[in-house]
């Protein structure tokens, strides 16, 4: 797996270790024009549950992260998905295995910097699958996107309606990623059947963060 040495050789910027010993890693610039039309992506989108053992490239990871929450208006920080009152309650983690430039582990997407911050070292896919009735797609896929919410951010403005707003936002993000996956010739399936507490533990989420959705990602097998 990758090390800081290989990161340097790939021209990837590392901010080095933070106080917690976690690194953060810049992602390649996303592509903003593609060859697959929105209509074709809608037509071809289908849940995929079997994957080839082919890791994602860093560029692909960056593209998927951008589709989920990339900043598209740097003045105001607005992103590829809408958000109730610009309260930005969602957090995106990637569980990755085999990406050449990065150690296996769990990485948090930092939209403002289009970067990843490593949170957990080591392959967590089995723990995540165990929290989700052992769904095989979660064990097989080379990457998993985990979408979590800090509902308090939205509740500070909208009170009880925040609960429904964060679920709506998760749908927006998941659809963005689903369509981006099609355009990249990748498969995905959205997964909502899991034990919240077990998944929160597997992802080492902070207090106040709750898991909402999982998406497997990889080449169809
Ligand atoms: C809220 C939600 C939760 C879902 N949870 C799971 C799941 O836990 N496991 C799974 O394999 N598919 C899950 N799916 C995917 C559906 O099974 C799938 O979308 C459906 O069978 C229709 O197939 P299509 O996506 O190819 O159109 C979920 C879909 C939604 C919208």
């Amino acid at each position: 797996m990758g090390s800081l040495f290989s990161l340097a050789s790939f021209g990837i910027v590392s901010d080095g270790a933070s106080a917690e010993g976690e690194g953060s890693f810049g992602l390649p610039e996303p592509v903003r024009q593609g060859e697959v039309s929105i209509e074709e992506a809608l037509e071809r989108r289908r849940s995929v549950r079997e994957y080839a053992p082919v890791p994602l490239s860093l560029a692909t990871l960056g593209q998927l992260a951008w589709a989920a929450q990339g900043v598209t208006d740097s003045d105001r920080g607005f992103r590829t998905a809408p958000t109730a009152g610009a309260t930005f309650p969602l957090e995106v983690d990637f569980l990755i295995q085999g990406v050449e430039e990065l150690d296996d582990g769990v990485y948090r997407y930092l939209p403002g910097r289009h970067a990843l911050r490593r949170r957990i070292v080591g392959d967590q896919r089995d723990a995540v699958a165990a929290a989700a009735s052992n769904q095989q797609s979660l064990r097989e896929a080379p990457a998993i996107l985990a979408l979590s919410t800090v509902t308090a951010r939205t509740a500070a403005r909208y009170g009880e309606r925040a609960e429904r707003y964060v679920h709506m936002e998760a749908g927006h993000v998941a659809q963005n990623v689903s369509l981006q996956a099609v355009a990249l010739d990748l498969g995905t399936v959205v997964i909502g059947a899991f034990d919240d507490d077990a998944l929160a533990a597997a992802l080492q989420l902070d207090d106040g963060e709750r898991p909402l959705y999982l998406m497997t990602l990889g080449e169809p097998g």
Side-chain angles (χ1 to χ4, degrees), residues 98-111:
V99 175
E100 199 167 353
E101 300 88 341
L102 297 174
D103 293 324
D104 293 355
V106 180
Y107 292 76
R108 170 84 31 114
Y109 182 52
L110 309 175

Side-chain angles (χ1 to χ4, degrees), residues 30-36 63 66:
V31 170
R32 290 179 171 80
Q33 207 134 40
E35 288 173 7
V36 179
Q63 194 68 36
W66 177 82

Side-chain angles (χ1 to χ4, degrees), residues 20-84:
E20 295 79 38
E22 295 168 329
S24 64
F25 308 94
L27 289 163
E29 267 296 290
V31 170
R32 290 179 171 80
Q33 207 134 40
E35 288 173 7
V36 179
S37 69
I38 188 74
E39 293 83 2
E40 185 182 343
L42 287 165
E43 176 72 17
R44 280 173 41 199
R45 186 212 62 79
R46 196 87 289 140
S47 291
V48 171
R49 298 182 179 82
E50 290 175 9
Y51 294 94
V54 180
L56 300 187
S57 71
L58 197 69
T60 295
L61 204 54
Q63 194 68 36
L64 293 163
W66 177 82
Q69 283 286 274
V71 173
T72 49
D73 178 335
S74 52
D75 291 341
R76 295 178 292 177
F78 292 171
R79 304 179 183 174
T80 48
T83 171

Side-chain angles (χ1 to χ4, degrees), residues 45-49 132 135 137 188-194 213:
R45 186 212 62 79
R46 196 87 289 140
S47 291
V48 171
R49 298 182 179 82
Q135 295 192 51
S137 60
T188 183
V189 59
V190 292
I191 291 182
F194 48 75
Y213 230 177

